[in-house]
Amino acid sequence: MDDTIAFAEELEEVALQLSTLDPLVEDPADIADLAERIVAEYERLGMTAAMFDKQGIQQVAEWIHGILTSFQATLPEAILELLQEGQLFNWIELTAIALREPEELSHLPAISSELLSEAWPESIPAELLQQLLINLRTDALHAQQDEDEAAHATDDGTSDAGANPLAWDADIHPELLEAWLQETPGQIAEAARLIHVIAKGNSTSEQKRHAARLAHTIKGASGVVGVEAITAFTHRLEDILDLNISGYLNQGLGDTLGACADCLESLFEHLQEGKTVPDEYATLLADMDAWEQRIATEPAPTLYDEEASESPDELGNDLLTENTIVLPEFITQAGIGNGELVEEDAPTADIPRSSSTHLAVPMETVQRLLNLAGELITSTSQIAENAQRTLQFGKQLQQQDEHIRQMLDELSETIDQQSTKLNRQNNLKLVKPSDRASDFDHLELEGYNDLYSTTNLLTESVADSREMTYSLQQQIRQISDQVYQQQRLQRQLSETILRTRLIPVQSIAARVERTVRETCRRTNKQANIKIIGQNLQVDTDILQGLTAPLLHMLRNAVDHGIETPEQRQAQQKPVEGVIELRFEQKGNHIHMTLSDDGQGLDVERIRRRAIERDLLKEGQDLSEAEMLRLILQPGFTTREQVSDISGRGVGMDVVQSAVEDLQGLLHLSSQAGKGTSVHIQVPLTLIATNALLVRTVGNLIAIPGNTIQQVLYVASTDNISEDGTWYIEHQNQKLEVLQLARLFGWYSEAPDLTQGHSLLIIASENKTYAVHVDDILQPRDIVVKNLPTWLNTAQGVSGACILANGEVAPVLDTLRLLRNLEHGLLKSTQTAQTKSDKAPAHQAILIVDDSLSNRKSLSLMVEQLGYRSITAVDGLDALQHLHSQAVELILTDLEMPRMNGLEMTQAVRIWPEKRHVPIIMVTSRSTQKHREMAQQAGVDGYLTKPVDHETLKTQLQKWLSTQLAA
């Protein structure tokens, strides 16, 4: 399955390369070059398909490659026409989607439609199309089989379903299994809830019958799919619920039923996680058998007090209710049926109902919709920015028209003056016609009149142009308004899609309560949990990320915090401990607080254990908060003996890691004898957020707004410099100022402390910092894109975002960056780097790879190391670069079209002027055979993809120093 996804990524890369080419070029040389690039891409596609053993795709690619080759020399314009119509990349995109979504069969007709289009110069052979579709369908079946095998796998890595009773049959139909997995969780949750009500003795006969029916339904459905453990367990539960158990509940049966309800939910969870049956499974089966025999052989206990004072009318009502037909829900809701037979004050099942219709949608589909909405927002933002630029250009055009109008006014005034002068002379001539007849020319007067007319026409044209400019500006303003309206609608669309990812805290309430009950049974303690804020809607990823650490903290609260009943009585506390779980939303954060009224954390014991583990030195002073945070260290525990609940040293460090992954904060507080409180703060969502754009040493960075406490301007008089470290005074605190550029290891000049600066106030769990950047830009809504592993090499970067102008900015994980700094994993040099610390500017590295993504990633890494990168698409292109410019080292791929890495290396080694250049091969081929072939060709170094930052740095320094020494 991993190979299929990797091949789908290669297909998407080829489709992206083809779709970004410009088919509208007109120059014959550009047309020939573009056609050559397209043919090379299809050659690479065929080679890649052969490497991944995708014969159907390989054959189709070779068929299209043959068509393109036939047109390349005679009619390259036909290739560009196919590109313009999308024929060359549409079928590739659809094939990639079909590989990613093998269960969706609707993609196959779409692929067929693209390949059977009349736009192709010749029809695709039927056997090629058939082979392609068969291969895609075969891949889908193999993917489904792999998923089934993974689902059947047990903890020890085997896939034998028969060895584990908590597994379904290997030959079960996928659709039947999917239906069972959709229906059973809700039925188990409702059955467990009703059984808990029954165990407390607060149930009605209808609730008891409903619980028995649910157990029967779960038993039958689980038997069909072959889950023996759940079938046997619900069979025993159904038998117990069919008996008259009211008199036995307070004799221990109630506790057994409560434990059975919890075990039933645990069974399904263990099934989903691939585990075996819970430890208490066999014991509870034996207990239910024993109770069934006891109830069948012993007379029912006599009920006293209110239970024995049932009136004849109530008995008659019960008998009538027992024999009443249960009418459909839509009839009983309308008030028709047996509603009059039930007492008005009788407790009823609290089953939530909704009048709205619900549709189950896979989370992958919601995520895809969210990604598309994010892309739509980015695209519309770019349109809005272009419209704003056009509007500014229109204003400049209007100013130019105004300037021309003023010049025409001056010209018209000059012409008027000349015309007035001529008229005056004409009048004089009329008075004395005999004196100055030769001084006046009628043609001159006519010329002035023509000039005046032309000027008037030009003035009118400018006025018309001004009106057209004004109309154009109005149209652009309307377009801008419509774009802004579209942006608002798209934000609402994104928010609506985000809301589909929201689930209430109530969805984990049953699991939380069950964890407390199970831990109490194992530790012989008593505790009750109170959940506040159950209706709060939380993002799915956030709530799922919090669930595992929350369950661990609940077990800790019972095991470490709550005392035994005897100890609580001795301390004059209620026998039953209280655990409170509170969820709140404050601004853009979710706050979760877990507190208990137990014995609290023993600070002295924590200190002793920290000294024993060399985490603390004798006599070292720490504040109480710092002392409490020692329990977050890996492997830290204060227990002397290991139990199945605690004592192994695996716990709070996992909680801390989970909170860090959610970009959250964790705070601890405790009072001896009164209890412990754990406060966790996490963002509302990790997908879309409002970020502040900043610029440091020319690089744009997006910092999530929910991590910034304040943007503060500091005057020069507030700057403090001590031993080369920059501090400021803020709210009676002395804050250290960090330069963001130096946290990333970028060259940065020391700031001028004689001037004022704008700083960002950011806090970690332990300390508050002021962060200095060069420029603070505007905040904006962004969609965070996860970075692939080979690109996410920088510490403290959680992803990237696309800005309105098309630029890509890294999104800062500020809290992780500060944690790494505090833990010594990151250094911030307070002295400015000198330019001599960087690599010499003349050292150029030639990167040769036919994959655009690989070229970009290697270029980024090389430039981060201070070298200048030059890129080439294959060996032939690399030789052309070597001919035109000096290169100190070559990084090359092995497999490339036109000329591969081995052929290029051989060509360089026989080139007298270039044979000394070191060559490092970076390829995915890791076999010894390929290494030997590279060595024979003359390759100096051999690295396998992906290459990390440190390995590349070491290799570059090694071979560049060798060249200099030579």
Side-chain angles (χ1 to χ4, degrees):
M1 188 63 180
D2 292 339
D3 290 341
T4 301
I5 298 300
F7 181 61
E9 292 176 351
E10 291 291 336
L11 290 180
E12 291 168 349
E13 176 68 22
V14 173
L16 177 63
Q17 292 297 321
L18 293 173
S19 63
T20 53
L21 298 177
D22 183 13
L24 302 178
V25 295
E26 298 179 355
D27 185 81
D30 294 338
I31 294 176
D33 181 63
L34 192 58
E36 184 179 1
R37 291 182 62 183
I38 295 172
V39 172
E41 285 294 337
Y42 262 89
E43 182 181 1
R44 182 167 74 92
L45 175 59
M47 295 172 56
T48 305
M51 184 176 64
F52 283 92
D53 196 22
K54 304 293 183 181
Q55 296 181 0
I57 300 175
Q58 178 188 358
Q59 293 173 1
V60 173
E62 290 175 350
W63 171 70
I64 298 176
H65 180 265
I67 295 175
L68 299 178
T69 304
S70 64
F71 283 123
Q72 184 176 4
T74 58
L75 191 61
E77 292 82 2
I79 299 178
L80 271 62
E81 184 177 350
L82 288 174
L83 178 65
Q84 184 175 3
E85 294 178 356
Q87 300 301 130
L88 296 180
F89 54 84
N90 284 342
W91 77 273
I92 301 177
E93 291 180 345
L94 291 171
T95 304
I97 296 174
L99 292 174
R100 288 187 179 275
E101 303 174 354
E103 74 284 353
E104 184 59 54
L105 300 181
S106 62
H107 300 313
L108 302 184
I111 296 173
S112 301
S113 177
E114 287 292 335
L115 292 175
L116 293 173
S117 172
E118 296 180 356
W120 292 102
E122 59 184 68
S123 300
I124 183 173
E127 59 273 12
L128 285 186
L129 181 59
Q130 182 179 2
Q131 182 66 35
L132 172 64
L133 299 179
I134 290 175
N135 287 164
L136 291 176
R137 184 58 182 150
T138 304
D139 289 341
L141 294 176
H142 287 167
Q144 183 65 44
Q145 183 179 0
D146 293 342
E147 291 178 1
D148 293 343
E149 291 177 356
H152 291 164
T154 55
D155 290 340
D156 57 359
T158 64
S159 58
D160 185 9
N164 182 10
L166 197 58
W168 50 74
D169 291 338
D171 58 350
I172 189 67
H173 194 280
E175 293 182 2
L176 184 61
L177 178 61
E178 182 180 0
W180 183 79
L181 290 173
Q182 288 180 356
E183 296 176 357
T184 306
Q187 294 172 348
I188 288 179
E190 180 62 13
R193 187 188 68 82
L194 290 174
I195 293 172
H196 279 300
V197 175
I198 295 170
K200 296 177 182 178
N202 299 326
S203 64
T204 64
S205 57
E206 175 57 30
Q207 288 175 320
K208 188 168 174 288
R209 284 197 301 273
H210 186 40
R213 285 197 300 269
L214 284 173
H216 178 79
T217 302
I218 297 169
K219 178 188 71 174
S222 302
V224 170
V225 298
V227 185
E228 300 175 2
I230 296 181
T231 302
F233 198 79
T234 49
H235 178 67
R236 294 291 186 277
L237 270 176
E238 182 187 8
D239 291 343
I240 291 289
L241 294 174
D242 285 338
L243 299 174
N244 183 14
I245 60 176
S246 301
Y248 300 92
L249 293 176
N250 57 2
Q251 298 186 12
L253 179 58
D255 295 335
T256 301
L257 286 177
C260 288
D262 293 338
C263 183
L264 179 60
E265 291 185 293
S266 297
L267 278 170
F268 192 80
E269 289 180 3
H270 283 214
L271 173 67
Q272 291 178 308
E273 297 170 1
K275 299 178 180 179
T276 186
V277 295
D279 297 336
E280 64 272 15
Y281 175 78
T283 303
L284 290 175
L285 277 180
D287 290 346
M288 285 191 287
D289 286 338
W291 276 109
E292 185 177 359
Q293 294 177 5
R294 176 179 173 182
I295 295 172
T297 56
E298 292 184 4
T302 303
L303 301 180
Y304 298 98
D305 302 330
E306 293 86 354
E307 296 180 356
S309 61
E310 192 171 18
S311 65
D313 292 338
E314 292 172 339
L315 289 174
N317 287 341
D318 287 342
L319 291 175
L320 187 57
T321 303
E322 291 288 335
N323 295 280
T324 300
I325 299 176
V326 179
L327 298 178
E329 182 178 326
F330 69 89
I331 296 180
T332 57
Q333 286 183 348
I336 306 173
N338 57 359
E340 298 84 3
L341 303 177
V342 183
E343 295 181 10
E344 294 180 0
D345 58 347
T348 58
D350 185 16
I351 303 175
R353 291 188 174 93
S354 175
S355 59
S356 60
T357 303
H358 295 274
L359 179 65
V361 179
M363 185 56 66
E364 293 79 8
T365 302
V366 176
Q367 184 64 37
R368 205 172 300 126
L369 284 173
L370 191 60
N371 291 338
L372 291 175
E375 297 292 343
L376 197 58
I377 287 178
T378 301
S379 177
T380 309
S381 299
Q382 293 174 352
I383 295 174
E385 187 161 330
N386 289 332
Q388 192 65 28
R389 290 200 194 101
T390 307
L391 188 60
Q392 293 295 332
F393 179 76
K395 290 180 179 179
Q396 294 176 3
L397 186 61
Q398 186 180 15
Q399 293 174 357
Q400 183 67 19
D401 287 344
E402 184 66 23
H403 179 65
I404 295 175
R405 187 188 64 80
Q406 291 177 358
M407 294 177 66
L408 284 174
D409 289 343
E410 294 177 0
L411 179 60
S412 298
E413 185 178 353
T414 302
I415 293 174
D416 289 341
Q417 292 175 357
Q418 293 294 331
S419 177
T420 303
K421 181 179 180 181
L422 287 175
N423 289 333
R424 186 179 304 114
Q425 291 177 354
N426 189 24
N427 292 333
L428 292 174
K429 185 64 179 177
L430 291 175
V431 174
K432 298 179 179 180
S434 60
D435 295 339
R436 306 191 54 175
S438 60
D439 293 339
F440 181 74
D441 190 353
H442 290 281
L443 292 177
E444 186 178 2
L445 178 60
E446 184 178 353
Y448 274 109
N449 291 334
D450 291 341
L451 181 61
Y452 185 76
S453 300
T454 303
T455 304
N456 288 336
L457 291 176
L458 185 58
T459 303
E460 293 177 0
S461 299
V462 172
D464 294 340
S465 175
R466 185 167 59 249
E467 289 296 325
M468 293 175 63
T469 302
Y470 178 76
S471 299
L472 177 62
Q473 287 181 325
Q474 291 295 108
Q475 291 292 332
I476 296 174
R477 288 193 183 94
Q478 292 178 6
I479 293 174
S480 299
D481 293 340
Q482 292 173 357
V483 169
Y484 292 145
Q485 177 70 15
Q486 188 74 12
Q487 284 181 310
R488 185 163 58 251
L489 292 176
Q490 287 168 356
R491 286 195 193 93
Q492 294 175 0
L493 173 63
S494 297
E495 292 172 359
T496 303
I497 298 175
L498 276 175
R499 281 197 291 270
T500 63
R501 293 174 48 88
L502 301 181
I503 54 177
V505 174
Q506 186 179 6
S507 61
I508 65 169
R511 191 174 181 184
V512 166
E513 294 170 350
R514 174 163 49 85
T515 300
V516 173
R517 289 193 299 267
E518 289 177 346
T519 310
C520 287
R521 280 193 290 268
R522 294 183 180 184
T523 57
N524 295 320
K525 296 180 180 181
Q526 298 179 21
N528 182 34
I529 184 168
K530 181 181 180 182
I531 305 177
I532 301 174
Q534 294 192 40
N535 294 328
L536 180 64
Q537 300 283 330
V538 183
D539 184 86
T540 302
D541 291 341
I542 297 295
L543 192 59
Q544 289 179 351
L546 285 174
T547 300
L550 172 59
L551 298 181
H552 180 82
M553 290 188 295
L554 287 170
R555 287 188 284 267
N556 271 0
V558 176
D559 192 32
H560 290 272
I562 302 297
E563 306 93 334
T564 62
E566 295 78 15
Q567 292 173 334
R568 293 183 67 87
Q569 284 183 338
Q571 298 174 14
Q572 298 182 350
K573 289 183 177 181
V575 175
E576 190 176 68
V578 177
I579 300 174
E580 181 180 284
L581 178 61
R582 180 183 296 272
F583 285 87
E584 297 175 290
Q585 178 180 341
K586 297 180 180 179
N588 293 325
H589 289 88
I590 297 294
H591 293 255
M592 185 188 77
T593 305
L594 178 66
S595 56
D596 63 72
D597 66 344
Q599 58 188 345
L601 295 174
D602 191 338
V603 178
E604 287 303 319
R605 180 181 293 183
I606 294 174
R607 174 184 287 274
R608 290 196 300 271
R609 184 54 58 92
I611 293 174
E612 292 173 4
R613 299 188 64 234
D614 294 330
L615 297 175
L616 198 64
K617 296 180 180 179
E618 286 282 359
Q620 184 176 351
D621 292 331
L622 292 179
S623 65
E624 183 176 349
E626 293 172 334
M627 191 70 67
L628 293 179
R629 295 193 67 84
L630 289 175
I631 68 174
L632 303 178
Q633 295 294 323
F636 193 94
T637 180
T638 57
R639 281 294 173 90
E640 301 295 338
Q641 296 180 348
V642 176
S643 67
D644 59 344
I645 299 176
S646 62
R648 294 181 296 272
V650 180
M652 291 304 294
D653 62 312
V654 178
V655 175
Q656 173 72 2
S657 298
V659 174
E660 289 180 1
D661 291 339
L662 296 175
Q663 301 179 23
L665 300 171
L666 185 148
H667 298 280
L668 297 168
S669 61
S670 180
Q671 291 184 357
K674 293 185 178 181
T676 302
S677 177
V678 181
H679 180 81
I680 293 176
Q681 172 187 321
V682 293
L684 279 176
T685 179
L686 299 177
I687 300 174
T689 185
N690 183 272
L692 180 66
L693 287 180
V694 301
R695 192 183 301 275
T696 179
V697 292
N699 299 311
L700 274 177
I701 296 178
I703 303 178
N706 52 32
T707 63
I708 302 174
Q709 292 186 350
Q710 185 180 355
V711 178
L712 180 68
Y713 177 78
V714 178
S716 58
T717 55
D718 296 329
N719 294 323
I720 303 172
S721 180
E722 294 182 1
D723 299 328
T725 303
W726 182 11
Y727 296 94
I728 64 167
E729 288 285 345
H730 176 63
Q731 295 181 352
N732 299 325
Q733 286 184 319
K734 189 176 180 180
L735 303 183
E736 180 183 358
V737 181
L738 304 175
Q739 283 189 262
L740 185 59
R742 294 178 184 175
L743 292 178
F744 284 112
W746 295 337
Y747 171 77
S748 175
E749 299 289 345
D752 185 3
L753 300 187
T754 61
Q755 298 180 356
H757 296 278
S758 294
L759 306 175
L760 307 178
I761 306 300
I762 302 175
S764 68
E765 292 98 339
N766 302 320
K767 192 176 179 182
T768 301
Y769 299 89
V771 179
H772 174 264
V773 295
D774 295 341
D775 296 305
I776 298 177
L777 309 178
Q778 60 183 355
R780 63 181 63 193
D781 294 329
I782 62 171
V783 177
V784 183
K785 304 289 186 180
N786 294 326
L787 296 176
T789 306
W790 55 267
L791 189 57
N792 194 9
T793 58
Q795 297 188 47
V797 175
S798 62
C801 64
I802 302 176
L803 305 179
N805 58 1
E807 291 188 68
V808 177
V811 180
L812 200 64
D813 187 350
T814 317
L815 299 178
R816 187 180 295 275
L817 191 69
L818 295 180
R819 289 191 191 103
N820 291 340
L821 179 65
E822 293 169 352
H823 296 163
L825 303 177
L826 191 67
K827 299 295 183 182
S828 174
T829 56
Q830 291 297 335
T831 58
Q833 292 177 307
T834 62
K835 294 186 179 180
S836 61
D837 295 331
K838 302 172 68 69
H842 67 274
Q843 290 184 308
I845 309 296
L846 177 60
I847 299 169
V848 189
D849 201 310
D850 59 328
S851 171
L852 175 63
S853 58
N854 288 336
R855 290 201 305 272
K856 286 185 177 179
S857 64
L858 285 174
S859 297
L860 288 173
M861 296 173 70
V862 165
E863 289 171 359
Q864 287 176 359
L865 292 173
Y867 305 98
R868 182 168 60 91
S869 66
I870 305 170
T871 59
V873 296
D874 55 26
L876 191 58
D877 190 20
L879 294 179
Q880 294 175 354
H881 281 290
L882 286 172
H883 181 73
S884 60
Q885 52 191 316
V887 171
E888 276 68 40
L889 187 141
I890 301 174
L891 296 172
T892 180
D893 191 13
L894 175 59
E895 297 166 316
M896 293 177 293
R898 298 201 300 179
M899 179 181 286
N900 61 35
L902 298 177
E903 296 169 343
M904 184 207 68
T905 302
Q906 293 171 349
V908 172
R909 292 303 178 225
I910 63 175
W911 191 344
E913 293 83 7
K914 305 293 183 181
R915 61 185 306 172
H916 65 281
V917 177
I919 300 177
I920 301 175
M921 186 160 285
V922 183
T923 176
S924 57
R925 299 291 188 177
S926 59
T927 63
Q928 186 62 32
K929 179 183 72 173
H930 290 91
R931 293 178 182 271
E932 291 174 357
M933 292 172 59
Q935 187 176 5
Q936 293 174 0
V939 172
D940 298 300
Y942 195 98
L943 301 176
T944 56
K945 299 177 182 177
V947 181
D948 61 86
H949 191 274
E950 290 300 323
T951 302
L952 182 62
K953 178 181 178 181
T954 303
Q955 288 290 318
L956 292 179
Q957 292 176 346
K958 172 184 175 182
W959 293 110
L960 286 174
S961 61
T962 301
Q963 181 192 22
L964 292 175

